[in-house]
Amino acid sequence: MKNSSCVMISELLKESQLREDGVLKNFCLLTNSFEGVKRDIEAIEGNYDFVIMFGCDKSLKSCVRIERFAERNGIKLETNLNLELLSRRLGEGGIGNVISETPTHYLCNEAYWYALQKFEGKAIFIHIPTLKNIDENLISKIKELKNDGILDGTFKSCR
C-alpha cells in the first residue's frame, strides 16, 4: 500500500527521472525498519549535491514540517542546507510549513541521522501529511516548485 511520501516521490520524479529501461534513476526506497535504513543508506553509492527525504506524520493536516536535526544515542546532527530559504520559498508557493528544532524519536529520525552522517549534512527531511489528511493541492504545489527549478536552487544553498 502506498503512503503519501511514496506518492510525493512518484509525482516529483515522473518521466524525467526514468532511465531508458523504465527504472527510476537517483531514487532510493529505504527498508521500513531501524536496522534496514542504516544498511540501505550505507549502501547508497554516488556523490550527490543533496538528498531529500520524505516521511509521513499523521498529526499534519495542511502543511509540511522541515526537520533541522536528527538525534541518535545523544548525538545530534544538523543539516547544512538553508532551511530558512526553503521555508520562505515553500511559503511563497502557498505551502504552509514549519521548521522543527526538535528531533523525533521514530524511524524517520533514524533514517535522517544516517543520511546526515553519510552525506556530511547535505540532506533534508520533510514530513508531509498522510494520504488521509493531505491537502489535495499540496503535492501539485511542491511539484510545481520543483518543475520551476525553485527548489533545486534552494537545496543547493548551504548556510
Side-chain angles (χ1 to χ4, degrees):
M1 186 166 129
K2 288 186 176 183
N3 65 31
S4 56
S5 58
C6 185
V7 171
M8 174 75 74
I9 293 298
S10 298
E11 284 298 314
L12 289 177
L13 297 178
K14 287 292 185 184
E15 298 83 21
S16 65
Q17 296 294 314
L18 292 175
R19 297 189 320 219
E20 288 181 19
D21 60 5
V23 175
L24 288 168
K25 59 184 177 182
N26 295 327
F27 178 80
C28 178
L29 292 175
L30 302 176
T31 304
N32 193 15
S33 72
F34 284 90
E35 300 81 24
V37 294
K38 177 182 181 192
R39 180 190 63 239
D40 293 352
I41 290 171
E42 287 176 349
I44 296 172
E45 295 181 1
N47 185 18
Y48 298 95
D49 293 332
F50 54 89
V51 174
I52 306 169
M53 304 173 81
F54 290 99
C56 304
D57 185 330
K58 63 184 176 186
S59 69
L60 295 173
K61 302 286 183 207
S62 60
C63 68
V64 301
R65 187 177 68 243
I66 307 162
E67 305 294 340
R68 184 179 304 277
F69 300 103
E71 185 174 7
R72 185 172 188 278
N73 297 330
I75 300 170
K76 197 182 248 188
L77 300 179
E78 180 179 2
T79 183
N80 63 19
L81 300 177
N82 189 333
L83 300 187
E84 287 71 21
L85 179 58
L86 171 61
S87 176
R88 188 176 78 240
R89 289 191 173 163
L90 288 172
E92 290 168 354
I95 300 166
N97 67 87
V98 62
I99 298 172
S100 174
E101 305 290 335
T102 307
T104 64
H105 297 286
Y106 301 103
L107 186 58
C108 293
N109 176 72
E110 187 91 352
Y112 192 30
W113 194 91
Y114 284 114
L116 287 170
Q117 184 180 50
K118 172 151 180 113
F119 299 105
E120 300 173 347
K122 297 184 298 182
I124 190 163
F125 200 103
I126 302 172
H127 275 104
I128 62 175
T130 61
L131 284 176
K132 178 182 175 185
N133 295 330
I134 200 162
D135 177 311
E136 61 189 49
N137 297 316
L138 180 65
I139 292 174
S140 61
K141 287 178 185 176
I142 292 176
K143 184 178 176 183
E144 186 177 315
L145 290 174
K146 179 201 174 281
N147 290 342
D148 290 344
I150 293 170
L151 293 183
D152 293 338
T154 300
F155 289 122
K156 291 179 183 174
S157 301
C158 295
R159 290 184 284 132

